[in-house]
Amino acid sequence: MTVWDDLVGQERVSEQLAAAARDADAVVTAAADAGPLPETSSMTHAWLFTGPPGAGVTQTARAFAAALQCVSPDRALGGVPGCGFCDGCHTALIGTHADVSTVTAVGAEIRVGDMRDTVRKSFTSPATGRWQIILVEDAERLNEKSANAVLKAVEEPAPRTVWMLCAPSVEDVLPTIRSRCRHLNLRTPSVEAVADMLVRREGVEPDVAAAAARATQGHVDRARRLATDPAARERRAAVLKLPLRVGDVGSALRAAQELVDAAAADAKQLAEDTDAKETEELKAALGAAQGGRLPRGTAGVMKDLEDNQKRRRTRTQRNTLDLALSDLTAFYRDVLALQLGSRVAIANADAEEALERIAGGSSPESTLRRIEAIAACGEALDRNVPPLLAVEAMTMALRAG
């Protein structure tokens, strides 16, 4: 199984990256200290991966990182980089490779403080691997200062450093940065391709896989979660009942409160799973005895960790709300398809009764207004409007139609 096998519906991109990995391997293999890449090489020092949600943008970048770090012993016999089983591939894929640094947004943006050590590391030679790789998962969340730090590093990279930036679209990245990157755009995988992956890789029953892929419209991660996690299916079912629960003002406000509470519960569960472990590990690293006091001068470090954990909880709550908004948008898209007599396949076939009820009791114009209200809720959350206020405004608009 190669590193490219998990990239669903991205055959063209996989071929380009495999060619780049072969050229990069040739450069490193030919000299102990690789010089500048040849102008004719398929490889370059900076890449920008873009694509719609669920296309597997980050997974593609990580697979490429694994191929660059591949140390497969059968290379002399014709093996190609990206075997998927060697130590270089394995550690890069699971995120433990010493020379693959991942930067992700803990809160609403990636601050310059989050990037400072990573940018500094990008100018060093690989410690154990073949390349020093910096993977920025949420490049669209770089603020002005952190983006400028990345720009300086991308303009004059070390010979063995590769930057990989991931974003929804090329417009989400500063023109000065994207002009220095090779751009690869991923497409949304087909429903059939996602369903096939769930059957082959996850062992999901074909009918369950098909339903999950259809419900998520080719979003690979959400389809996997929906097919394998009963709790995810329960949350989605609850969201799809919301359009039938906004008949009066009180019901609309209660539905908003429940949606926000569910997202907060998700964030709390993640915090319980990770915060305590992170805190204990940091205390041990700072030299605190088990259950003892922290050494002097370390309070600031602990405060930074607490701030990051708080930002991560906010981010998790927002991600859960984003999923709910996506499910609601898909629901009303199906309603609109029924109202217009479209032959487009219904994504939420398991909620057909609710779809027909809403479609029969409203007009296409009101459905479009409801879709716009959901989009407006997402924009309000982006502007840091308190979640409950944003969701209440949305549910009231869904009620009004």
Side-chain angles (χ1 to χ4, degrees), residues 183-327:
H183 178 218
L184 289 180
N185 186 52
L186 281 68
R187 62 181 183 178
T188 300
S190 68
V191 170
E192 293 75 17
V194 175
D196 180 64
M197 180 275 295
L198 292 174
V199 173
R200 288 186 298 104
R201 303 302 303 277
E202 305 295 335
V204 178
E205 291 296 323
D207 56 338
V208 176
R214 185 172 59 250
T216 56
Q217 292 295 288
H219 193 301
V220 179
D221 288 338
R222 292 186 60 203
R224 182 184 289 111
R225 189 180 304 114
L226 200 60
T228 59
D229 183 2
R233 292 194 290 271
E234 290 177 5
R235 283 194 295 270
R236 174 177 171 271
V239 170
L240 295 184
K241 291 177 182 177
L242 188 146
L244 297 176
R245 299 181 52 207
V246 294
D248 58 72
V249 173
S251 298
L253 296 179
R254 281 194 298 273
Q257 183 70 63
E258 290 173 10
L259 194 60
V260 173
D261 287 347
D266 276 357
K268 181 180 179 181
Q269 181 179 359
L270 176 65
E272 291 175 348
D273 293 341
T274 59
D275 287 5
K277 181 180 178 181
E278 284 181 346
T279 301
E280 289 305 316
E281 289 178 349
L282 182 58
K283 285 182 177 179
L286 293 174
Q290 184 70 28
R293 298 179 62 181
L294 287 169
R296 287 186 177 181
T298 60
V301 178
M302 294 301 302
K303 180 64 166 59
D304 288 342
L305 176 63
E306 291 170 2
D307 290 343
N308 285 337
Q309 291 173 341
K310 183 178 179 180
R311 297 202 331 261
R312 183 172 60 200
R313 285 193 291 272
T314 301
R315 184 75 242 155
T316 302
Q317 182 179 14
R318 172 61 203 278
N319 288 343
T320 302
L321 289 174
D322 280 344
L323 290 179
L325 297 183
S326 296
D327 287 335

Side-chain angles (χ1 to χ4, degrees), residues 331 334-335 338-339 351-362:
F331 179 93
D334 288 346
V335 169
L338 291 175
Q339 290 172 330
E352 188 170 358
E353 182 179 345
L355 292 172
E356 292 178 350
R357 181 175 168 184
I358 298 295
S362 60

Side-chain angles (χ1 to χ4, degrees), residues 316-388:
T316 302
Q317 182 179 14
R318 172 61 203 278
N319 288 343
T320 302
L321 289 174
D322 280 344
L323 290 179
L325 297 183
S326 296
D327 287 335
L328 282 174
T329 301
F331 179 93
Y332 282 109
R333 165 201 172 273
D334 288 346
V335 169
L336 187 62
L338 291 175
Q339 290 172 330
L340 298 178
S342 171
R343 304 181 69 175
V344 173
I346 298 298
N348 299 286
D350 53 339
E352 188 170 358
E353 182 179 345
L355 292 172
E356 292 178 350
R357 181 175 168 184
I358 298 295
S362 60
S363 65
E365 291 78 12
S366 66
T367 301
L368 287 172
R369 286 194 294 270
R370 285 166 170 153
I371 292 175
E372 290 172 354
I374 298 169
C377 179
E379 292 171 359
L381 292 171
D382 278 338
R383 298 193 303 271
N384 292 322
V385 172
L388 184 58

Side-chain angles (χ1 to χ4, degrees), residues 2-340:
T2 70
V3 298
W4 316 113
D5 289 344
D6 277 340
L7 307 187
V8 183
Q10 310 298 343
E11 291 78 10
R12 178 185 59 83
V13 170
S14 296
E15 291 175 2
Q16 290 178 272
L17 293 177
R22 287 194 294 270
D23 285 355
D25 179 69
V27 170
V28 177
T29 304
D33 185 14
L37 292 163
E39 292 185 4
T40 57
S41 174
S42 300
M43 181 61 185
T44 188
H45 70 278
W47 297 78
L48 173 59
F49 298 87
T50 64
V57 174
T58 301
Q59 291 88 337
T60 300
R62 193 166 292 283
F64 185 36
L68 293 180
Q69 302 290 18
C70 182
V71 292
S72 174
D74 65 354
R75 186 171 285 110
L77 301 177
V80 296
C83 66
F85 61 82
C86 71
D87 184 66
C89 286
H90 178 68
T91 53
L93 288 173
I94 65 174
T96 60
H97 197 293
D99 294 314
V100 180
S101 301
T102 302
V103 180
T104 187
V106 177
E109 61 183 21
I110 299 176
R111 302 179 301 179
V112 67
D114 302 326
M115 288 298 306
R116 188 174 292 116
D117 290 341
T118 303
V119 169
R120 189 180 298 115
K121 185 178 180 181
S122 74
F123 291 106
T124 65
S125 298
T128 61
R130 300 167 72 80
W131 296 87
Q132 184 74 260
I133 297 173
I134 311 297
L135 197 166
V136 183
E137 291 189 354
D138 307 290
E140 76 279 9
R141 297 189 182 279
L142 291 165
N143 64 23
E144 182 179 358
K145 291 182 178 179
S146 58
N148 287 334
V150 170
L151 175 60
K152 292 176 182 178
V154 172
E155 282 180 329
E156 300 178 0
R160 295 269 292 275
T161 293
V162 180
W163 282 83
M164 300 182 187
L165 310 181
C166 302
S169 70
V170 67
E171 289 78 15
D172 290 318
V173 180
L174 284 178
T176 48
I177 292 180
R178 67 186 189 228
S179 65
R180 290 164 174 79
C181 299
R182 185 166 298 169
H183 178 218
L184 289 180
N185 186 52
L186 281 68
R187 62 181 183 178
T188 300
S190 68
V191 170
E192 293 75 17
V194 175
D196 180 64
M197 180 275 295
L198 292 174
V199 173
R200 288 186 298 104
R201 303 302 303 277
E202 305 295 335
V204 178
E205 291 296 323
D207 56 338
V208 176
R214 185 172 59 250
T216 56
Q217 292 295 288
H219 193 301
V220 179
D221 288 338
R222 292 186 60 203
R224 182 184 289 111
R225 189 180 304 114
L226 200 60
T228 59
D229 183 2
R233 292 194 290 271
E234 290 177 5
R235 283 194 295 270
R236 174 177 171 271
V239 170
L240 295 184
K241 291 177 182 177
L242 188 146
L244 297 176
R245 299 181 52 207
V246 294
D248 58 72
V249 173
S251 298
L253 296 179
R254 281 194 298 273
Q257 183 70 63
E258 290 173 10
L259 194 60
V260 173
D261 287 347
D266 276 357
K268 181 180 179 181
Q269 181 179 359
L270 176 65
E272 291 175 348
D273 293 341
T274 59
D275 287 5
K277 181 180 178 181
E278 284 181 346
T279 301
E280 289 305 316
E281 289 178 349
L282 182 58
K283 285 182 177 179
L286 293 174
Q290 184 70 28
R293 298 179 62 181
L294 287 169
R296 287 186 177 181
T298 60
V301 178
M302 294 301 302
K303 180 64 166 59
D304 288 342
L305 176 63
E306 291 170 2
D307 290 343
N308 285 337
Q309 291 173 341
K310 183 178 179 180
R311 297 202 331 261
R312 183 172 60 200
R313 285 193 291 272
T314 301
R315 184 75 242 155
T316 302
Q317 182 179 14
R318 172 61 203 278
N319 288 343
T320 302
L321 289 174
D322 280 344
L323 290 179
L325 297 183
S326 296
D327 287 335
L328 282 174
T329 301
F331 179 93
Y332 282 109
R333 165 201 172 273
D334 288 346
V335 169
L336 187 62
L338 291 175
Q339 290 172 330
L340 298 178

